Amino acid sequence: MGLKPRAAFTLNEIPFVPTPQPVVEKMLQLAAVKPDEVVYDLGAGDGRVVFTAVNKFSAKGVAVELDPWRADLIREKVIRQDLKEKVMVRQEDLFQTPLKNADVVTLYLLPEANRLLSKKLLVELPDNARVVAHNYPIPELRAKEILHVKCDGRLHTLYLYQPKTLKRF
Ligand SMILES: C[S@@+](CC[C@H](N)C(=O)[O-])C[C@H]1O[C@@H](n2cnc3c(N)ncnc32)[C@H](O)[C@@H]1O
């Protein structure tokens, strides 16, 4: 029997561990983010992925973060950087977030959460949407590209998916 996605389970299980900034940039490059595309970071932490998407790739960002304290910190940054038109903050369980408007989805979760998300990605994402997962693959999907990035002596593995065009194994 599979585990059902439960917010409490994932928030306890998935702590805030930020992706190093150079790796964030590689993730967005790997997804080939274009101006005005919409980048969703599911489990946004301090919002660095969406702020980078907006400030360096001229995209729009949706930061989905369950932790209310972290979501508020992201909202404060949005106001300070005057990005209200470019960044939306959703304080909610990422399993409940509608994804039909996403061009790119970024993930730095855990293997079980990625597994639970795979069907949602397949069903909800538009045809050309890309997904980049940091360090943990999405077990049900076939990666289009895998990139290894060395940063501060650590190896980071990035997995690129295009769920609608490259489906299951
Ligand atoms: C490993 S951090 C990644 C942060 C950011 N995406 C990055 O790459 O720097 C995972 C984040 O997911 C959040 N999180 C955990 N479970 C969640 C859920 N069910 N819905 C939304 N956010 C969640 C945590 O609070 C944490 O901030």
Side-chain angles (χ1 to χ4, degrees), residues 6-20 24 27 41-49 64-67 70 92-95 106-109 134:
R6 281 188 293 118
F9 162 75
T10 48
L11 186 56
N12 287 338
E13 291 285 315
I14 308 168
F16 172 57
V17 181
T19 300
V24 169
M27 289 173 76
D41 189 26
L42 301 183
D46 61 4
R48 61 181 59 200
V49 175
V64 180
E65 175 55 56
L66 184 61
D67 183 328
R70 291 200 185 282
E92 65 187 11
D93 175 17
L94 62 89
F95 290 100
T106 55
L107 306 172
Y108 186 18
L109 304 171
H134 177 188

Side-chain angles (χ1 to χ4, degrees), residues 51 71-89:
F51 288 110
D72 277 348
L73 287 183
I74 301 173
R75 285 195 186 102
E76 281 170 26
K77 281 192 205 169
V78 170
I79 293 167
R80 248 185 286 133
Q81 294 186 33
D82 196 16
L83 290 177
K84 273 209 282 198
E85 305 298 314
K86 298 277 183 180
V87 177
M88 180 193 287
V89 182

Side-chain angles (χ1 to χ4, degrees), residues 10-11 13 44 57 85 88 96-97 103 154 161 168:
T10 48
L11 186 56
E13 291 285 315
F57 292 77
E85 305 298 314
M88 180 193 287
Q96 307 305 323
T97 303
D103 295 298
R154 284 179 169 243
Y161 300 92
R168 295 154 202 271

Side-chain angles (χ1 to χ4, degrees), residues 107 114-115 117-123 125 129-133 136-146 159-169:
L107 306 172
N114 285 358
R115 190 182 70 74
L117 260 180
S118 61
K119 192 169 171 217
K120 182 175 168 65
L121 297 170
L122 270 171
V123 170
L125 286 176
R130 292 86 75 203
V131 179
V132 177
Y136 304 106
I138 305 173
E140 318 271 310
L141 300 182
R142 181 148 46 105
K144 187 177 179 188
E145 204 176 324
I146 299 175
Y159 300 86
L160 172 69
Y161 300 92
Q162 235 175 320
K164 282 278 165 66
T165 53
L166 272 178
K167 294 199 176 164
R168 295 154 202 271
F169 287 102

